[in-house]
DNA sequence: AAACCGGGGAC
DNA sequence: GTCCCAGGTTT
């Protein structure tokens, strides 16, 4: 153990947060927390962790569930492939590993949705394996400690930091050390205005010595967001609504949405009316528009218009699912629809054209 | 190596 | 508005 690792671990034991997944040694729950927390803040993820633990206390409960229920509980967390992979991995452990959670990095990383970081985290935290755990926090802490000013987005730079961390790993104590560094990044060595006054290892920090905390880590600009225009026809008959499951290789895979018309602009009322007559010919209808909402994803900018279309009798559209009003909340769907459908409906279209 | 996969909150 | 968050998979 070096002075550096001793100081960081000591700081963690005195200042670390009391998070629910730190109170268990169950590898299933540690894995669950790691997947939920991928690219997710603690404030957002912890209620999902509690919800999953309550509904699926053990890995067999998760494996036996329907994917749709897993997606339902995941609703609103984003990156929905995490939920589908989580479920698939649970089934894999039950079917291929006799229900016993793998206890080695080399096996854990074979689970769907588990990459280098998560495999290291689970093997380190649950089984005390000496693995380097490198997440966003660790990259930031060590780029500053070592004064690495290269673009943190480049794999080459990440590999360099990764190698530094591995060479400084306190063997036997790394499970403790890894958590300590991550917590230091979350509470002290923050992206903007790091709290160097209260940092236990500021005397080791190259960025602080050269007063470059604000410029390290350096990150190149991200690409501009693609704009998309989504016009939705929400067909309603009585107290039932028509939804469709989204397919592969796009946002929101596996989630449900109303009938979609994606175009290069938001449709006018007349264009919506014409579209309804094409999609549901010979059905009298009335239409109400919800306010158009802008929805920002990390790499896309969505303009979402929903029109409530009430028809007499069900239009015949392939692969649709009619959902009763009382089941709407449990339907796995992008969070934007919960928001829009809670809004007050606006203009009315003429009944017939 | 780069693109793609969400949603929320801090600034 | 910009950035980032207990990253992973696909191309």
């Amino acid at each position: 153990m070096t002075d550096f690792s001793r100081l960081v671990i000591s700081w963690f034991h005195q200042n670390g947060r009391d998070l629910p997944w730190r109170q268990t040694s169950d590898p299933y729950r540690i894995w669950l927390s790691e997947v939920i927390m991928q690219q997710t803040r603690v404030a957002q993820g912890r209620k999902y962790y509690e919800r999953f633990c309550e509904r699926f206390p053990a890995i067999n409960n998760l494996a036996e569930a329907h994917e749709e229920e897993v997606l339902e509980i995941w609703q609103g967390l984003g990156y929905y492939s995490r939920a589908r992979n989580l479920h698939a991995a649970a089934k894999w452990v039950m079917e291929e590993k006799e229900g016993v959670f793998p206890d080695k990095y080399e096996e854990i990383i074979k689970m769907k949705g588990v990459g280098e970081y998560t495999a290291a985290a689970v093997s380190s935290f649950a089984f005390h394996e000496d693995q380097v755990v490198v997440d966003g926090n660790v990259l930031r802490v060590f780029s500053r400690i070592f004064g690495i000013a290269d673009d943190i987005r480049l794999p080459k730079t990440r590999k360099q930091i990764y190698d530094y961390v591995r060479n400084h790993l306190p063997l036997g104590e790394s499970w403790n050390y890894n958590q300590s560094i991550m917590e230091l990044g979350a509470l002290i060595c923050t992206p903007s205005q790091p709290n160097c006054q209260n940092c236990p290892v500021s005397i080791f920090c190259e960025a602080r010595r050269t007063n470059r905390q604000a410029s390290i880590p350096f990150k190149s600009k991200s690409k501009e967001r693609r704009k998309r225009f989504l016009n939705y026809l929400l067909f309603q008959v009585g107290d039932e609504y028509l939804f469709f499951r989204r397919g592969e290789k796009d946002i929101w895979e596996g989630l449900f949405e109303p009938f979609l018309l994606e175009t290069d602009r938001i449709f006018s009322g007349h264009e919506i009316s014409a579209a309804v007559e094409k999609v549901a010919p010979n059905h009298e209808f009335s239409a109400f528009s919800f306010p158009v909402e802008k929805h920002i994803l990390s790499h896309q900018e969505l303009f979402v218009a929903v029109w409530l279309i009430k028809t007499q009798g069900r239009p015949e559209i392939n692969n649709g699912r009619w959902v009763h009003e009382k089941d709407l909340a449990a339907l796995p769907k992008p969070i934007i629809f919960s928001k829009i459908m809670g809004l007050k409906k606006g203009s009315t279209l003429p009944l017939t054209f």
Side-chain angles (χ1 to χ4, degrees):
Chain A
M1 283 261 278
T2 58
D3 287 343
F4 179 87
S5 40
R6 228 188 315 276
L7 285 165
V8 174
I9 292 172
S10 168
W11 171 86
F12 174 61
H13 285 150
Q14 291 173 41
N15 300 282
R17 291 166 294 181
D18 182 24
L19 301 174
W21 45 88
R22 286 186 179 153
Q23 298 169 353
T24 181
S25 58
D26 180 356
Y28 161 67
R29 295 198 176 200
I30 291 173
W31 163 65
L32 179 62
S33 75
E34 292 302 340
V35 173
I36 287 175
M37 298 313 299
Q38 285 166 8
Q39 294 293 286
T40 303
R41 294 180 181 275
V42 168
Q44 187 188 5
R46 80 184 285 166
K47 57 182 176 295
Y48 286 86
Y49 174 77
E50 307 281 13
R51 211 176 297 168
F52 267 86
C53 285
E54 186 172 343
R55 173 61 186 86
F56 310 116
I59 195 165
N60 63 301
N61 305 122
L62 178 57
E64 289 160 9
H66 292 290
E67 181 185 286
E68 200 171 314
E69 189 188 356
V70 181
L71 283 171
E72 176 200 330
I73 301 179
W74 199 271
Q75 205 177 144
L77 240 197
Y79 288 141
Y80 295 93
S81 66
R82 288 186 292 168
R84 288 180 278 107
N85 288 335
L86 190 77
H87 184 229
K91 294 210 302 197
W92 179 75
V93 170
M94 292 310 294
E95 290 163 12
E96 307 294 331
K97 296 291 169 182
E98 299 170 349
V100 180
F101 200 98
D103 62 354
K104 292 279 188 298
Y105 175 92
E106 296 300 337
E107 288 300 307
I108 296 170
I109 203 169
K110 292 177 183 170
M111 297 167 73
K112 279 193 177 179
V114 172
E116 208 169 53
Y117 162 78
T118 304
V122 174
S123 61
S124 175
F125 302 156
F127 302 107
H128 296 188
E129 198 173 314
D130 284 310
Q131 291 285 347
V132 280
V133 176
V134 181
D135 72 334
N137 290 308
V138 178
L139 285 173
R140 187 172 56 254
V141 169
F142 281 107
S143 62
R144 283 177 175 153
I145 292 287
F146 295 117
I148 298 172
D150 300 325
D151 188 354
I152 200 75
R153 217 185 276 280
L154 299 177
K156 182 184 170 190
T157 309
R158 292 176 181 237
K159 190 181 184 317
Q160 185 187 354
I161 296 173
Y162 192 93
D163 289 340
Y164 271 119
V165 180
R166 185 169 46 213
N167 291 332
H168 289 76
L169 208 60
L171 300 182
E173 286 296 328
S174 55
W175 63 279
N176 234 333
Y177 175 77
N178 285 325
Q179 288 196 71
S180 305
I181 296 290
M182 291 168 70
E183 193 76 340
L184 189 70
L187 299 184
I188 299 285
C189 196
T190 49
S192 66
Q193 299 194 315
N195 186 359
C196 300
Q197 284 72 22
N198 291 310
C199 178
V201 288
S202 59
I203 55 168
F204 298 97
C205 186
E206 178 66 10
R208 176 170 166 78
R209 190 183 72 78
T210 54
N211 199 25
R212 287 185 295 166
Q213 298 98 314
S215 59
I216 298 179
F218 167 74
K219 192 177 243 177
S220 55
K221 294 285 183 208
S222 57
K223 265 187 50 181
E224 242 182 76
R225 276 187 278 262
R226 176 164 68 109
K227 287 184 170 62
R228 295 175 73 174
F229 301 89
L230 310 178
N231 305 277
Y232 284 105
L233 307 178
L234 177 55
F235 287 100
Q236 176 185 9
V237 175
D239 42 19
E240 294 192 314
Y241 299 83
L242 184 56
F243 279 83
F244 301 84
R245 196 173 205 271
R246 282 186 71 88
E248 298 179 31
K249 294 179 180 172
D250 200 354
I251 56 174
W252 303 332
E253 181 184 342
L255 275 60
F256 289 84
E257 64 184 3
F259 186 88
L260 171 62
L261 291 159
E262 181 168 3
T263 56
D264 58 358
R265 66 186 182 285
I266 287 297
F267 270 2
S268 68
H270 285 82
E271 290 171 308
I272 290 293
S273 181
V276 172
E277 295 193 351
K278 190 174 285 183
V279 172
N282 306 319
H283 282 271
E284 284 209 357
F285 67 92
S286 62
F288 303 90
S289 67
F290 289 90
V292 177
E293 285 289 305
K294 188 159 88 169
H295 188 58
I296 310 282
L297 308 182
S298 39
H299 54 292
Q300 297 185 19
E301 193 171 337
L302 310 178
F303 296 86
V304 183
V306 177
W307 289 80
L308 182 67
I309 310 293
K310 295 188 183 181
T311 62
Q312 313 271 11
R314 295 181 174 185
E316 286 168 29
I317 306 173
N318 281 345
N319 302 320
R321 182 196 294 192
W322 289 93
V323 181
H324 194 275
E325 191 172 276
K326 66 175 165 49
D327 299 319
L328 231 40
L331 188 73
K333 57 192 175 307
I335 202 69
I336 186 68
F337 291 117
S338 306
K339 187 173 175 184
I340 289 177
M341 289 157 71
L343 300 172
K344 194 173 174 5
K345 289 190 288 288
S347 62
T348 308
L349 243 49
L351 276 171
T352 54
F353 277 78

